[in-house]
């Protein structure tokens, strides 16, 4: 490698060749005194001057004799897995785009080019190429062109020291380390020489060469010859041709000068055939010919070949996952919140980008593809009347594995990209704030199932009736946590979705028809704190991280929650009351193929199975006779399913949540900002308010076809019966 003149040894117009030679002899004598040249088998007869007392000797003697290579920064990958077990790359993350390879995966052309051009006596010396060092020093001190004279081992040592600096997070400490590793001084040169000798004592020549190719920089964030071959020529290091291999080895000498991916550059761009790289490449070809590594015919053919890179941008960041980007983003947030990877979020992500991990996720590519397609067909990325978003989330019942996660926006975390159109966002509307930046949405009537659960827990029957009349004076609600809540003076008069006056509805009728006043009447005979705790037992929580509110209004769904949270809860209902926390990662292996711990699902009995059976009884009839009928009749193949619709005030948010015994799915169309009445709007695909019913059956049809579905046990103190023939009902 070319380096700058050492400090204190710079040439001047008045320096004579004789003076340079005298300085050279002094340098050699000093080196002999400290044992450098002796270590490589050079006779001490060269010690012809008496400079052994140089202060530099003390610096040298204080140096370590060996430097070890820590784990190199490698890119980490996130995968989905196809049904046949084949991993599919979603995205890669890295500070340095590097893929370490073994020696037999590196083209012999590259090895021969490096040795012939940089260190012809690599297999003969003990770490220091004396002839090269003397030649380079003489050239530098006599005022000639600056030459490095560094052996491949010395270059490797320098790169090791630089890589150690790159792992330092503190900017000041990093910069000081880097300056010390690259400064142009005799002390640094001596340090490299001493360390190179130490390396050669413990590492074989072949392995030094292998590590040299894996650690070397090839311009920008490209490190190591495998990543370089991928990036510059869309091939592997093993399959590099002679012209390609020498072009890459040329870059190592000076990545800025000889890089071949900057067509706009006047010095190394495509416009001039990458002249700088070609000149260095041809020099390497000549060296290979000189040292009989290639034939004359090979030399002439390679020299006549133009430098023609095939730049292949690596996958980096979740935006490369395209339709799967929001799920990918969710996985990265899980990693950032997992103490396995570091002490805080920033350190964890830094460790992940450098660690060479392979993350295998739960995403079901078959179901995800169906969900993405139906989302694309039904909901546009932007809408001129209102700022609308849409999500689809599915989880596997009994395992918590997230199978589907998509939304109607294009993913980008770049503010500049986001500014180009409302179709871009970095917020994942499927998840909590901590896992995607969303504060959640009101689920409306979907939330009523938790009051139903509390009703059954307290021994009430589905057939039991309550005062469901609409009124402005609801009186006092019991709350064992916060104390009684009195609504006498609040003039709170919630209406029903279809403006029903109310009456004396049973709990089952209120569930099937989604009667607001029916559920408020049920809550009047329950404990608001108990309803909240029952919702929490199904792992329901606010998306913003705050505690669930427990006012009378929350009974009909005013707490902002994430769609994923509702999918988990509905899976728990279908799972006989056992709720399992969501997981998105099946396994992680490190760079050595060793498995590391991953977050595990936590399952708990949310309600007694008999209570769950009663919930199932009511929610199956929501599908067959009630507000979710539109989602039920469009599902094929059909399996037993439960469901509940949700529509917020003014129809600004519409939900469809449901589950089979195998898969739970939530679909929602929500107002991201402002509020528009979805019942007054149309997409090209049909009414906005019914888009949920055009998407949910499509996703569940695919889920039923792949996962099947068992019968759902139902009871709750009423005779089990075959659901009646579906009849139309008002949409809720």
């Amino acid at each position: 490698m070319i380096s700058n003149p050492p400090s204190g040894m710079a040439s001047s117009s008045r320096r004579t060749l004789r003076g340079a030679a005298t300085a050279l002899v002094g340098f050699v004598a000093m080196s002999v005194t400290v044992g450098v040249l002796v270590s490589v088998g050079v006779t001490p007869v060269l010690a012809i001057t008496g400079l052994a007392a140089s202060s530099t000797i003390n610096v040298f003697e204080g140096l370590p004799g060996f430097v070890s290579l820590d784990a190199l920064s490698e890119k980490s990958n996130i995968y989905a897995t196809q049904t046949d077990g084949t991993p599919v790359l979603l995205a890669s993350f890295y500070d340095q785009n590097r893929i370490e390879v073994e020696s037999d995966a590196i083209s012999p052309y590259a090895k021969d080019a490096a040795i012939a051009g940089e260190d012809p006596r690599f297999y003969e010396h003990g770490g220091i190429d004396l002839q090269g060092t003397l030649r380079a020093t003489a050239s530098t001190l006599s005022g000639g062109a600056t030459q490095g004279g560094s052996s491949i081992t010395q270059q490797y040592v320098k790169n090791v020291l630089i890589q150690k600096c790159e792992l330092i997070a503190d900017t000041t400490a990093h910069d000081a380390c880097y300056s010390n590793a690259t400064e142009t001084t005799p002390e640094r040169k001596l340090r490299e020489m001493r360390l190179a000798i130490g390396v050669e004592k413990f590492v074989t020549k072949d392995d030094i060469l292998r590590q040299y190719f894996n650690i070397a920089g090839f311009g920008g964030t490209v490190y190591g010859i495998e990543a370089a071959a991928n990036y510059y020529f869309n091939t592997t290091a093993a399959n590099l041709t002679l012209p390609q291999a020498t072009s890459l080895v040329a870059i190592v000498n000076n990545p800025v000068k000889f890089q071949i991916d900057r067509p706009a550059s006047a010095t190394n761009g495509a416009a001039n055939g990458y002249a700088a790289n070609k000149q260095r490449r041809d020099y390497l070809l000549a060296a290979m010919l000189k040292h009989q590594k290639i034939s004359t015919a090979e030399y002439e053919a390679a020299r006549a070949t133009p430098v023609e890179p095939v730049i292949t941008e690596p996958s980096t960041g979740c935006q490369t996952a395209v339709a799967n980007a929001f799920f990918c983003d969710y996985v990265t947030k899980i990693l950032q919140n997992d103490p396995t990877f570091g002490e805080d979020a920033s350190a964890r992500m830094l460790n992940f980008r450098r660690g060479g991990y392979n993350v295998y996720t739960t995403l079901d590519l078959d179901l995800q593809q169906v969900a993405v397609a139906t989302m694309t067909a039904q909901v546009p990325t932007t809408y001129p009347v209102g700022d609308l978003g849409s999500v689809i989330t599915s989880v596997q019942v009994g395992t918590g594995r997230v199978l589907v996660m998509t939304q109607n926006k294009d993913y980008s975390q770049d503010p500049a990209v986001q500014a180009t159109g409302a179709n871009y966002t970095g917020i994942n509307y499927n998840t909590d704030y901590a896992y995607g930046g969303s504060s959640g949405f009101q689920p409306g009537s979907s939330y009523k199932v938790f009051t139903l659960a509390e009703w059954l827990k307290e021994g009430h029957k589905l057939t039991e009736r309550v005062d469901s009349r609409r009124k402005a004076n609801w009186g006092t609600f019991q709350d064992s946590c916060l104390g009684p809540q009195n609504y006498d003076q609040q003039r709170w008069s919630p209406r029903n979705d279809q403006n029903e006056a109310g009456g004396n509805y049973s709990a089952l009728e209120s569930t099937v028809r989604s009667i607001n006043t029916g559920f408020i009447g049920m809550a009047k005979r329950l404990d608001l704190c108990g309803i909240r705790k029952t919702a929490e037992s199904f792992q329901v929580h606010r998306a913003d991280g705050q505690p669930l509110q427990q006012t009378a209004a929350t009974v009909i769904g005013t707490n902002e929650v994430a769609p994923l949270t509702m999918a988990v809860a509905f899976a728990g209902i279908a799972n006989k009351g056992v709720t399992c926390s969501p997981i998105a990662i099946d396994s992680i292996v490190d760079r050595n193929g060793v498995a590391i711990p991953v977050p595990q699902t936590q399952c708990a009995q949310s309600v007694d199975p008999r209570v769950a059976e009663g919930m199932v009884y009511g929610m199956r009839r929501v599908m067959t006779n009630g507000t979710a009928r539109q989602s039920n009749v469009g599902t094929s193949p059909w399996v037993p399913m439960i469901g509940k619709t949700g529509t917020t005030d003014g129809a600004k948010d519409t939900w469809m949540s449901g589950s089979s015994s195998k898969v739970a799915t939530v679909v929602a169309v929500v107002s991201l900002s402002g509020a528009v009445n979805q019942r007054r709007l149309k997409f090209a695909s049909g009414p906005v308010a019914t888009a949920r019913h055009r998407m949910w059956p499509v996703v569940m049809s695919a889920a039923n076809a792949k996962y099947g579905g068992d019968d759902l046990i139902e009871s709750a103190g009423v005779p089990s019966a075959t659901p009646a023939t579906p009849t139309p009902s008002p949409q809720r």
Side-chain angles (χ1 to χ4, degrees), residues 515-561:
I515 304 295
N516 288 341
T517 54
F519 275 89
I520 295 170
M522 292 162 64
K524 190 77 163 44
R525 296 173 59 181
L526 298 171
D527 176 11
L528 293 179
C529 183
I531 296 172
R532 188 209 77 204
K533 289 181 177 179
T534 294
E536 290 173 339
S537 74
F538 283 99
Q539 302 192 17
V540 175
H541 54 275
R542 287 181 60 85
D544 60 8
Q546 297 300 311
L548 282 176
Q549 298 171 3
Q550 57 195 60
T551 66
T554 62
V555 169
I556 53 177
T558 59
N559 274 299
E560 288 85 1
V561 299

Side-chain angles (χ1 to χ4, degrees), residues 270-486:
N272 63 1
Y274 300 100
N277 180 275
K278 187 177 187 305
Q279 182 179 22
R280 177 68 184 175
R281 183 201 71 175
D282 291 349
Y283 162 79
L284 294 173
L285 289 169
M288 294 173 75
L289 179 64
K290 173 184 176 182
H291 293 284
Q292 300 180 338
K293 299 298 182 182
I294 56 175
S295 67
T296 301
E298 287 178 303
Y299 167 75
E300 292 176 348
R303 197 170 186 277
T305 302
V307 177
E308 294 179 327
V310 182
I311 302 301
T312 306
E313 292 286 350
S315 164
T316 174
C318 282
Q319 67 273 9
T320 63
V322 194
N324 306 317
F326 290 100
F327 174 80
C328 173
D329 184 82
Y330 175 56
V331 172
T332 66
K333 298 303 190 296
I334 292 173
L335 297 173
Q336 288 177 21
N337 285 285
D338 185 352
T340 298
F341 290 92
E343 61 184 16
D344 55 45
S346 59
R348 291 164 192 160
M349 201 58 197
L350 182 64
N351 291 337
F352 176 67
R353 291 198 307 268
R354 294 173 171 177
Y357 297 101
N358 287 321
V359 179
Y360 299 95
T361 68
T362 62
L363 188 70
D364 186 313
L365 290 173
D366 296 331
L367 266 63
Q368 176 77 355
Q369 184 177 10
V370 171
V372 170
T374 192
M375 178 70 75
T376 301
Q378 297 297 333
V379 184
T381 57
T382 61
Y383 189 62
V385 178
D387 187 13
L388 296 177
S390 185
V391 299
I392 303 176
T393 295
S394 297
V395 299
Q396 187 174 30
V397 174
T399 68
R401 298 175 73 248
V402 179
L403 305 177
V404 168
M405 183 174 287
T406 191
Q407 62 192 55
N408 69 317
K409 299 294 184 179
D410 298 317
Y411 176 87
S412 178
Q413 292 291 353
D414 186 343
V417 174
Q418 293 175 14
T420 63
N423 57 304
Y424 286 106
T425 186
I427 299 174
N428 187 347
Y429 301 121
N430 293 274
T431 60
D432 295 336
Y433 185 86
Y435 290 89
S438 172
S439 295
F441 308 93
Q442 292 186 3
S445 296
S446 297
Y447 197 86
K448 292 174 182 174
V449 298
F450 308 117
T451 296
L452 176 63
E454 182 66 10
W455 178 262
L456 297 170
K457 279 176 62 178
E458 292 300 312
H460 296 288
K461 305 296 183 182
L462 285 171
T463 53
E464 191 173 338
R465 296 182 179 276
V466 297
D467 182 1
S468 309
R469 293 171 297 167
R470 182 178 176 183
K471 48 183 170 281
N473 184 352
W474 280 94
T476 300
F477 289 77
Q478 297 305 309
D479 188 329
S480 61
C481 297
L482 303 178
Q485 298 186 28
N486 191 304

Side-chain angles (χ1 to χ4, degrees), residues 627-638:
T627 58
R629 179 177 174 275
Q630 287 176 274
S631 282
N632 190 54
V633 296
T635 308
S636 178
W638 185 89

